[in-house]
Amino acid sequence: MEIKLHRYYGDEAVTKSVMEVWMEGEQEPRMVCEAREVRFRDYAEVFPGASGCCLPRGRWRLACGGSPYSAIGVRVVKCPGHRQTYFGYNDGVFRPQQAGRVMVGEPVYHYYTDEVTGEQVEYAKKRGMRNGKEVYGRLDELLYEAYRKGEEMWVEIDNEGVDNE
């Protein structure tokens, strides 16, 4: 199993990604959703304060085991500046992003009308999330399937699409 985070927006408060879940040997992602992390910074090496930022770009091993969200739970065990970063969901009590978490959910799109063309354009900076618990439930099912099959688990993170304006 490989989870891919394709980041498209980041600022001092939030990092926004489209998340894909790929099962071993399959030709298309089994699941696509939104993901949120804390403050954006484009980096691959550790620096002071890295734990207060999103995960670094790169490819990192995932591990399963108890988490605050599930008995199988998945987390990035270790990467530059971070240890035990869990995948989870917002239950409505906390902000959509939390340090040490990659929160998942369904996208909520926002649009504006382009003044020149008159077309509706998506405003990615304002894209929200909802139904985190349900989305995480689907991720949980895929985790159990991958675990039963003995698949290695990885997360791959790219910042190629980040717009922070």
Side-chain angles (χ1 to χ4, degrees):
M1 167 189 270
E2 186 163 35
I3 295 175
K4 295 182 180 185
L5 294 176
H6 303 291
R7 292 181 174 145
Y8 63 86
Y9 179 81
D11 63 21
E12 285 298 312
V14 65
T15 302
K16 297 182 177 188
S17 306
V18 172
M19 185 175 107
E20 300 173 343
V21 181
W22 294 75
M23 302 301 280
E24 199 171 282
E26 294 186 2
Q27 301 302 311
E28 58 186 47
R30 189 82 75 85
M31 180 176 150
V32 178
C33 65
E34 282 289 304
R36 296 290 180 274
E37 299 170 82
V38 292
R39 182 169 59 138
F40 178 75
R41 181 156 175 183
D42 187 8
Y43 70 103
E45 301 294 327
V46 70
F47 63 91
S51 64
C53 295
C54 60
L55 292 167
R57 64 182 142 72
R59 190 168 191 252
W60 314 108
R61 186 171 293 282
L62 295 172
C64 287
S67 83
Y69 305 95
S70 166
I72 196 167
V74 67
R75 65 194 182 282
V76 179
V77 179
K78 186 177 179 186
C79 64
H82 298 267
R83 290 183 186 201
Q84 306 299 344
T85 299
Y86 291 98
F87 282 73
Y89 61 90
N90 178 357
D91 60 6
V93 176
F94 300 106
R95 296 182 317 177
Q97 66 274 0
Q98 299 175 43
R101 304 285 191 263
V102 177
M103 307 302 249
V104 300
E106 293 175 349
V108 177
Y109 299 102
H110 292 271
Y111 297 92
Y112 66 93
T113 303
D114 184 284
E115 293 178 8
V116 176
T117 65
E119 295 179 11
Q120 291 288 310
V121 179
E122 196 224 338
Y123 191 23
K125 180 179 180 178
K126 293 225 176 220
R127 189 184 302 171
M129 280 194 330
R130 66 176 176 214
N131 299 330
K133 189 172 185 176
E134 291 82 3
V135 172
Y136 186 84
R138 293 195 310 264
L139 174 62
D140 210 34
E141 290 173 11
L142 295 175
L143 290 168
Y144 274 103
E145 180 182 333
Y147 187 80
R148 278 192 313 271
K149 292 178 177 178
E151 292 184 17
E152 287 189 359
M153 296 184 194
W154 296 88
V155 63
E156 185 174 321
I157 303 166
D158 71 71
N159 293 335
E160 293 170 14
V162 174
D163 173 16
N164 51 0
E165 292 185 16

